Amino acid sequence: MSLDKKKDYQKRGWSRRHFLKAGIGGVLGTAGAMLLPGLLGNGNRVETGTSHAMGGMSHGSGDHKMDPNKMTKKASKESLDNAHRILKEFDYGEVEKLEDGRTLRKYTITAMEKEVEIAPGVFYPAWTYNGQVPGPTLRATEGDLLRITFQNSASHPHTIHFHGIHPGNMDGVYEIVYPGKSFTYEFTAEPFGCHLYHCHVMPLKKHMEKGMYGAFIIDPKEPREEANEMVMVMNAFDTDFDEENEFYTVNGFANAYMDRMIDVKVGEKLRIYLVNVTEFDLINSFHIHGNLFKLFRTGTQLDHYEFTDTVMLCQGERSVLEMSFKFPGKFMFHAHQSEFSELGWMGVFNVKE
Ligand SMILES: [Cu+2]
């Protein structure tokens, strides 16, 4: 939020929260109902869909008892399936062996405009890679030759800018790909780590907020220890186009891993590839309950950097997190900015024996 806008808001005692409270029930209908998620273990959500969807947060009224089951509209099976697919799906490309013994991986990415559901009943006119936000998680091993064919089937110019080491003419900054055109990126995957890719056409923040990004994982030649792996791209959506976010999500759908928890086992090693592409807010964060994780910043070294329960990431920063649960139960994870978690960035690990 700009300073001027912030001052203006402060003067009027106005905030995103007020916008949501006043506007979302009326403007977006049932959308407001998900904003305060129901909690832990009860799948039977009551659909409120009234302008009092935020009623549980009101102050100054004794009538509003917190009933978590009345605070969220149930996410559709389709949306939850999609969020869980993105959580666990890695695109290794089409693999070929080259004469020199190297592995060639070929990927195809198409830019297209698509309305995506970001919360129950809330649709956002996104600019996407392959019709999803975030785009597919591309995965390779250090030293592989990557060939990414990019087709622009959208109505604006786009590119793919990969983080990592590559030649200047493969950087996706100056080689603008116009609608109907294509470009093939080719470079060697290096260094190993948790990277990302995104569009780099100006105005950059427009292309970012619209959804043009995805995780890009390069494995070390000697693979990391086996684990239950997942990718979490922290993102957000500005649904009223005022350059601040109304919804905070992981992998594009609010409370996806709350409405359907992530099942894990006691003692099982978990590895999370965490990427922050939240536009408009300088930072985002990940916090785990009842546990701590080993933090591998950018994932470019095999020794962990810290043992902690919270990591803060700037825009474009990422980390690899490793943990295992000692106790069974339901353990939340969420942004430690309370506002972000209340607006959709919250999930639960359902840890079983
Ligand atoms: Cu773009």
Side-chain angles (χ1 to χ4, degrees):
M1 191 189 312
S2 73
L3 205 58
D4 281 355
K5 196 168 179 183
K6 200 162 220 163
K7 277 182 190 156
D8 186 46
Y9 274 32
Q10 280 163 353
K11 234 185 284 168
R12 290 163 20 208
W14 196 247
S15 71
R16 269 183 277 206
R17 188 65 43 79
H18 285 83
F19 160 76
L20 289 161
K21 204 167 174 178
I24 216 157
V27 177
L28 297 176
T30 51
M34 51 60 62
L35 290 168
L36 269 187
L39 195 53
L40 304 186
N42 188 336
N44 301 315
R45 304 284 158 63
V46 176
E47 299 183 9
T48 60
T50 71
S51 59
H52 297 291
M54 297 293 284
M57 291 178 66
S58 295
H59 298 290
S61 165
D63 298 340
H64 290 122
K65 286 211 179 101
M66 285 285 221
D67 180 351
N69 298 318
K70 286 188 176 165
M71 290 177 189
T72 179
K73 185 178 188 296
K74 208 168 183 218
S76 70
K77 182 181 178 300
E78 190 187 351
S79 298
L80 294 183
D81 284 351
N82 199 43
H84 281 261
R85 176 182 63 76
I86 293 174
L87 183 75
K88 293 294 187 79
E89 192 173 82
F90 301 97
D91 184 349
Y92 290 91
E94 200 183 302
V95 179
E96 267 177 42
K97 271 280 175 224
L98 296 170
E99 276 179 16
D100 62 3
R102 291 174 79 196
T103 298
L104 167 68
R105 292 182 193 272
K106 297 192 282 189
Y107 307 83
T108 307
I109 294 189
T110 305
M112 56 180 90
E113 278 130 41
K114 192 181 172 190
E115 281 217 326
V116 293
E117 194 178 15
I118 59 165
V122 182
F123 289 85
Y124 179 81
W127 296 352
T128 76
Y129 289 122
N130 288 1
Q132 62 179 64
V133 180
T137 298
L138 306 186
R139 190 158 183 178
T141 300
E142 193 174 45
D144 292 348
L145 182 63
L146 309 184
R147 187 176 297 155
I148 303 113
T149 305
F150 176 53
Q151 168 68 37
N152 187 354
S153 298
S155 58
H156 298 83
H158 297 297
T159 63
I160 309 178
H161 162 66
F162 289 90
H163 285 222
I165 300 171
H166 49 245
N169 62 354
M170 291 292 143
D171 199 35
V173 173
Y174 303 110
E175 304 74 26
I176 307 290
V177 185
Y178 288 91
K181 303 289 184 198
S182 65
F183 186 87
T184 301
Y185 301 90
E186 190 168 303
F187 55 91
T188 300
E190 62 179 331
F192 73 79
C194 178
H195 305 301
L196 73 155
Y197 65 90
H198 60 86
C199 183
H200 215 300
V201 170
M202 299 298 161
L204 185 53
K205 69 177 174 185
K206 186 74 192 165
H207 292 251
M208 292 298 288
E209 65 149 315
K210 287 295 246 176
M212 301 196 77
Y213 43 73
F216 170 41
I217 298 167
I218 302 178
D219 291 313
K221 282 182 181 160
E222 182 81 27
R224 294 174 204 268
E225 211 178 295
E226 194 150 322
N228 179 358
E229 295 195 324
M230 54 198 84
V231 60
M232 295 190 185
V233 176
M234 302 192 290
N235 56 352
F237 295 93
D238 168 20
T239 51
D240 63 348
F241 311 110
D242 66 347
E243 302 207 343
E244 60 179 70
N245 297 311
E246 278 70 53
F247 293 87
Y248 291 83
T249 68
V250 163
N251 295 337
F253 193 78
N255 297 318
Y257 311 116
M258 190 128 191
D259 286 343
R260 188 190 297 166
M261 297 177 282
I262 301 173
D263 289 334
V264 302
K265 292 197 179 78
V266 169
E268 171 187 39
K269 190 187 195 75
L270 308 183
R271 181 174 299 122
I272 300 169
Y273 295 93
L274 184 70
V275 177
N276 179 23
V277 289
T278 310
E279 195 56 44
F280 303 132
D281 292 282
L282 293 181
I283 55 163
N284 203 333
S285 61
F286 176 102
H287 167 63
I288 185 76
H289 283 215
N291 209 346
L292 278 80
F293 51 82
K294 285 183 184 171
L295 173 66
F296 301 79
R297 285 200 171 271
T298 321
T300 46
Q301 292 184 358
L302 296 174
D303 293 336
H304 66 280
Y305 170 89
E306 200 179 1
F307 188 52
T308 181
D309 62 16
T310 306
V311 59
M312 176 178 85
L313 300 178
C314 184
Q315 289 171 328
E317 263 195 296
R318 57 275 174 203
S319 278
V320 178
L321 279 43
E322 287 184 0
M323 71 187 94
S324 56
F325 283 91
K326 192 172 176 183
F327 303 106
K330 296 178 175 67
F331 295 95
M332 296 179 73
F333 59 93
H334 57 85
H336 217 294
Q337 291 102 314
S338 314
E339 186 183 33
F340 293 9
S341 53
E342 284 166 3
L343 297 176
W345 182 171
M346 206 183 307
V348 178
F349 284 113
N350 187 19
V351 187
K352 296 172 178 171
E353 294 279 13

